[in-house]
Amino acid sequence: MNQKIEVASPELASIEVENLSRSTFIMKGALAAGAAYGALAVGPLVRNAFAQAENGDLEILNFALTLEYLEAAFYAEGGKQVKGVPSDVAELVKTFGAEEQEHVDALTATIKDLGGKPVKAPGVDFGDAFASADSFLATAIVFEDLGVSAYNGAAPAIKSKDLLATAGGIVQIEARHAASIRYAAGESPAPDAFEPSATTDEVLKAVEPFLA
Amino acid sequence: MSATRNPESSALQRIARDPHSRRKFLALTGGTGVSAALLAACGDDDEETTPTTTEEQPMDETGGDPLADFGEGDLGIVNYALTLEYLEAGFYAAVIKSGLFKGDQLALLKVIGDHEAQHVDALTATAKDLGGTPAPEPKANFPLDSAEEVVALAATVENLGAAAYLGQAAAIQSPDVLAAALSIHTVEARHAAVLNTLAGEPPTPDGAFAVPADAETVLAEVQPFLA
């Protein structure tokens, strides 16, 4: 029942993300970026997200914050740069971007409330993702699906029931984003009966190509 | 333990059949502490005077829990979820048979209905794994007058389903059951988003943070569909 995104080896070139077509533009972009960066371990910025944490919940919150920063930046930059997005989809992108920013703000405030130090926004490089409406939506699907898998993978480790409820309230929105963008792109909005989950390592490797 | 509890009969069906049960069941929300706990206990003699307060079970929050009818602890949550999934699966089966849809919309509804049927199977297995009796399939009727109304109802049902899972997440004790519930929760959310879109509603009607629903609210919402 609990499916996993499989990462066969540390090399980015061998990332296997379940239910994502490797032929999509974004996967090609990710592989190219992986080749350019080399098969790196987790980037220093993201590693800091863990080094700063005092306890497990703070680690998870900073991990989530990093992902939300990436998503928010992706929609903000994409919304400005991408041409040819149909107006109804552009409207969705605007809404979803604003919601990701709200997640950033909420997670930042929560981390501070708990006495932790929120990670800074990571530097981003979205490669050729903004070259066309199709590549933009394909990359958005990767981010949103990954975000859902990341929260679902991390949630059972959350100690605080309040934080678990908060994370649940966010992951539901990520899932709604994922389904909507998929539907807009002509892909199945819900490709599985049971959402795959991903470990933090798997998620960090998948986002590595987008960190500058 | 509970001599009066009959695991073979659905808690929902009893509520649907019996107006007193329904009233009592509604009273449980408002009821706090002793009166709710007495109603929930329903004649069984677990009014222990031993002060057994545990961190996991704050008495004033679980005393009036309508999930008590579905079983204790995680089993109650799983059987509650199973009942909702049965309703969803039954709904889509009826919708698909209705002939109201064709083409892409029919294909989508079939995929969603198939997911719900898989959720039923998985939760049935989970209830058994927990050593419990899986909740039975409730009898239900759904209005199938027009495609437009069906899409609107499907959207309502999925939004409610997602809110129901979210409402239970923090109460689940077993990490395995939690992981299973989460993996279903976001699939319900995906269904909700696309059906909202088809119904002309925004995919994220609550904004950036999804709003949970407690069992009381959810059961009251589905009550009109129970036969």
Side-chain angles (χ1 to χ4, degrees):
Chain A
M1 188 184 292
N2 199 12
Q3 300 167 40
K4 302 254 184 207
I5 286 179
E6 287 170 21
V7 178
S9 85
E11 279 89 37
L12 285 166
S14 64
I15 286 179
E16 290 280 352
V17 182
E18 203 171 334
N19 305 314
L20 295 177
S21 164
R22 297 191 58 153
S23 65
T24 57
F25 181 94
I26 176 54
M27 284 312 290
K28 287 177 190 161
L31 298 181
Y37 281 83
L40 301 176
V42 171
L45 247 167
V46 178
R47 215 165 26 234
N48 285 343
F50 289 86
Q52 288 176 5
E54 294 289 320
N55 66 43
D57 283 359
L58 277 173
E59 279 183 30
I60 293 169
L61 288 173
N62 263 328
F63 166 66
L65 177 56
T66 302
L67 290 182
E68 297 287 357
Y69 265 131
L70 270 171
E71 291 183 324
F74 175 77
Y75 283 120
E77 290 188 20
K80 276 182 248 162
Q81 293 184 33
V82 183
K83 304 273 186 286
V85 177
S87 62
D88 54 336
V89 180
E91 202 55 42
L92 276 186
V93 164
K94 206 173 152 193
T95 301
F96 293 176
E99 288 170 350
E100 305 299 3
Q101 186 58 47
E102 285 190 61
H103 294 168
V104 166
D105 295 344
L107 289 168
T108 300
T110 304
I111 291 165
K112 284 182 185 164
D113 284 349
L114 292 173
K117 190 177 175 198
V119 286
K120 290 205 178 79
V124 292
D125 180 353
F126 297 112
D128 294 331
F130 302 142
S132 71
D134 284 351
S135 61
F136 175 58
L137 294 182
T139 312
I141 289 169
V142 169
F143 273 122
E144 296 288 4
D145 281 346
L146 190 69
V148 179
S149 297
Y151 275 99
N152 278 355
I158 296 175
K159 300 275 192 300
S160 155
K161 293 296 183 187
D162 285 346
L163 285 182
L164 177 61
T166 302
I170 294 178
V171 70
Q172 186 184 120
I173 301 307
E174 303 294 338
R176 287 169 180 267
H177 291 175
S180 298
I181 301 276
R182 281 177 157 274
Y183 191 67
E187 295 199 27
S188 171
D192 298 289
F194 303 95
E195 196 81 55
S197 67
T199 66
T200 48
D201 281 353
E202 288 162 351
V203 174
L204 292 174
K205 278 175 187 138
V207 300
E208 177 71 28
F210 304 106
L211 299 173
Chain B
M1 292 223 281
S2 169
T4 53
R5 188 172 297 146
N6 178 1
E8 296 305 315
S9 101
S10 153
L12 270 186
Q13 281 167 0
R14 285 204 304 281
I15 289 160
R17 230 183 284 126
D18 175 7
H20 299 292
S21 166
R22 159 125 177 99
R23 209 174 302 132
K24 180 171 74 187
F25 158 78
L26 287 174
L28 292 182
T29 8
T32 54
V34 178
S35 66
L38 281 173
L39 278 172
C42 237
D44 62 22
D45 54 358
D46 54 5
E47 296 166 56
E48 297 141 73
T49 45
T50 343
T52 50
T53 38
T54 65
E55 289 158 9
E56 291 83 22
Q57 295 187 326
M59 299 304 282
D60 55 339
E61 281 176 25
T62 55
D65 189 351
L67 291 181
D69 263 355
F70 292 90
E72 290 181 17
D74 283 359
L75 179 62
I77 295 171
V78 168
N79 269 336
Y80 161 65
L82 173 57
T83 304
L84 298 179
E85 296 287 356
Y86 264 130
L87 284 170
E88 290 185 324
F91 169 64
Y92 288 107
V95 166
I96 288 159
K97 254 195 231 159
S98 72
L100 288 170
F101 296 90
K102 47 191 166 187
D104 288 349
Q105 288 206 350
L106 180 63
L108 178 66
L109 291 166
K110 280 182 175 170
V111 166
I112 295 175
D114 177 59
H115 288 171
E116 309 303 2
Q118 290 188 55
H119 297 167
V120 166
D121 292 346
L123 291 166
T124 299
T126 304
K128 287 179 185 166
D129 286 347
L130 291 172
T133 304
E137 180 170 6
K139 289 198 174 58
N141 286 315
F142 303 99
L144 301 169
D145 297 327
S146 73
E148 202 178 18
E149 280 172 19
V150 166
V151 167
L153 179 56
T156 301
V157 163
E158 295 290 351
N159 285 298
L160 188 67
Y165 278 96
L166 184 55
Q168 296 306 317
I172 295 172
Q173 299 295 318
S174 154
D176 287 345
V177 175
L178 176 60
L182 290 170
S183 81
I184 297 177
H185 165 237
T186 47
V187 172
E188 302 293 335
R190 286 171 181 265
H191 296 168
V194 68
L195 287 164
N196 277 3
T197 302
L198 289 178
E201 299 292 329
T204 54
D206 297 333
F209 305 95
V211 176
D214 61 20
E216 182 64 38
T217 306
V218 172
L219 293 171
E221 288 278 328
V222 301
Q223 201 269 343
F225 305 111
L226 299 173

